[in-house]
Amino acid sequence: DAGVTQSPTHLIKTRGQQVTLRCSPISGHKSVSWYQQVLGQGPQFIFQYYEKEERGRGNFPDRFSARQFPNYSSELNVNALLLGDSALYLCASSLGSVRTEAFFGQGTRLTVV
Amino acid sequence: GEDVEQSLFLSVREGDSSVINCTYTDSSSTYLYWYKQEPGAGLQLLTYIFSNMDMKQDQRLTVLLNKKDKHLSLRIADTQTGDSAIYFCAESKEGSQGNLIFGKGTKLSVKP
């Protein structure tokens, strides 16, 4: 069975640009969460979507947005990129919205120059 | 302060046991997880424990939970060089809609 897949694996963008990251959850999983992992730190929660609705939002600015599609895949959008947005962006999928194991993808490494 | 705290480094010899420790502050945490991250990779779920359990064993891995002290540990028996990685402790809080709070990770180095 395919695990969580994320695309692209690496990305380089310029300050001020916009970026879209994509995630396909494990088949049958309805919840997708996004995390930002800055070098040397643990992942920080950005969003959770369940059944196409936002169920949780972390402490991130409005430049960050996400959505979930009918097939449960998800996109994370970041506008007006800053140098500080450079990080590994991780997507996690789980069966339900709460208290279930979360399985992570390999991540998208975003570098803002 | 940090919700989840871990020591940053641990070095052991191949064949020894490794014990990675974690403390958390929220007594309402329901699930506690251990993840492994190898260089340049995503997170691999190793094991988890529900907050009403004291211990969970899975092959070489043993998780101990002390709810009174809010202390979680991961013991890796017969540590191998392939176990070298960063290990993250994470908690899932009641009512948090499933988002995980991670520690900064413990870098485990296994010397041959």
Side-chain angles (χ1 to χ4, degrees):
Chain A
D1 283 341
V4 180
T5 57
Q6 292 186 243
S7 64
T9 54
H10 294 85
L11 202 51
I12 300 175
K13 289 285 190 178
T14 305
R15 275 180 299 174
Q17 285 188 314
Q18 175 263 344
V19 69
T20 298
L21 310 181
R22 295 177 175 83
C23 172
S24 292
I26 293 170
S27 178
H29 284 194
K30 298 182 178 180
S31 175
V32 169
S33 297
W34 288 95
Y35 290 80
Q36 181 196 65
Q37 186 180 21
V38 173
L39 198 63
Q41 301 291 318
Q44 296 287 315
F45 172 72
I46 309 175
F47 286 111
Q48 184 197 27
Y49 277 77
Y50 177 70
E51 289 282 15
K52 301 179 287 295
E53 290 187 2
E54 182 183 304
R55 292 299 186 95
R57 173 186 282 256
N59 188 22
F60 280 81
D62 291 343
R63 299 185 295 107
F64 289 76
S65 63
R67 55 181 175 167
Q68 186 177 33
F69 299 98
N71 66 354
Y72 302 109
S73 67
S74 178
E75 287 182 351
L76 174 71
N77 295 286
V78 186
N79 293 323
L81 285 166
L82 303 174
L83 294 179
D85 295 329
S86 295
L88 181 67
Y89 288 84
L90 295 161
C91 172
S93 88
S94 55
L95 271 173
S97 66
V98 294
R99 299 196 292 273
T100 62
E101 303 105 291
F103 297 90
F104 283 79
Q106 292 301 296
T108 295
R109 172 73 61 187
L110 172 65
T111 302
V112 183
V113 297
Chain B
E2 291 284 334
D3 292 278
V4 178
E5 292 190 355
Q6 303 178 237
S7 53
L8 295 182
F9 301 99
L10 177 65
S11 180
V12 300
R13 294 221 172 266
E14 193 173 20
D16 287 350
S17 291
S18 307
V19 179
I20 302 171
N21 295 301
C22 168
T23 57
Y24 60 100
T25 57
D26 193 333
S27 59
S28 67
S29 293
T30 51
Y31 279 88
L32 295 139
Y33 302 83
W34 284 103
Y35 284 88
K36 176 184 180 183
Q37 187 175 39
E38 297 184 72
L43 299 177
Q44 175 192 355
L45 176 63
L46 291 177
T47 187
Y48 65 95
I49 190 167
F50 189 51
S51 57
N52 69 352
M53 298 168 66
D54 298 323
M55 186 183 90
K56 181 177 181 181
Q57 188 156 0
D58 185 0
Q59 299 181 344
R60 291 191 299 125
L61 305 179
T62 303
V63 178
L64 294 177
L65 176 60
N66 180 329
K67 282 194 70 177
K68 175 175 170 289
D69 296 335
K70 298 188 183 69
H71 183 265
L72 182 74
S73 67
L74 173 70
R75 179 177 180 269
I76 305 172
D78 188 24
T79 311
Q80 302 299 305
T81 53
D83 294 324
S84 293
I86 299 176
Y87 290 80
F88 290 96
C89 169
E91 62 175 346
S92 173
K93 297 184 181 183
E94 185 73 35
S96 69
Q97 295 299 324
N99 62 288
L100 300 175
I101 310 297
F102 285 86
K104 289 187 176 181
T106 298
K107 184 173 182 179
L108 174 64
S109 297
V110 183
K111 299 184 188 323

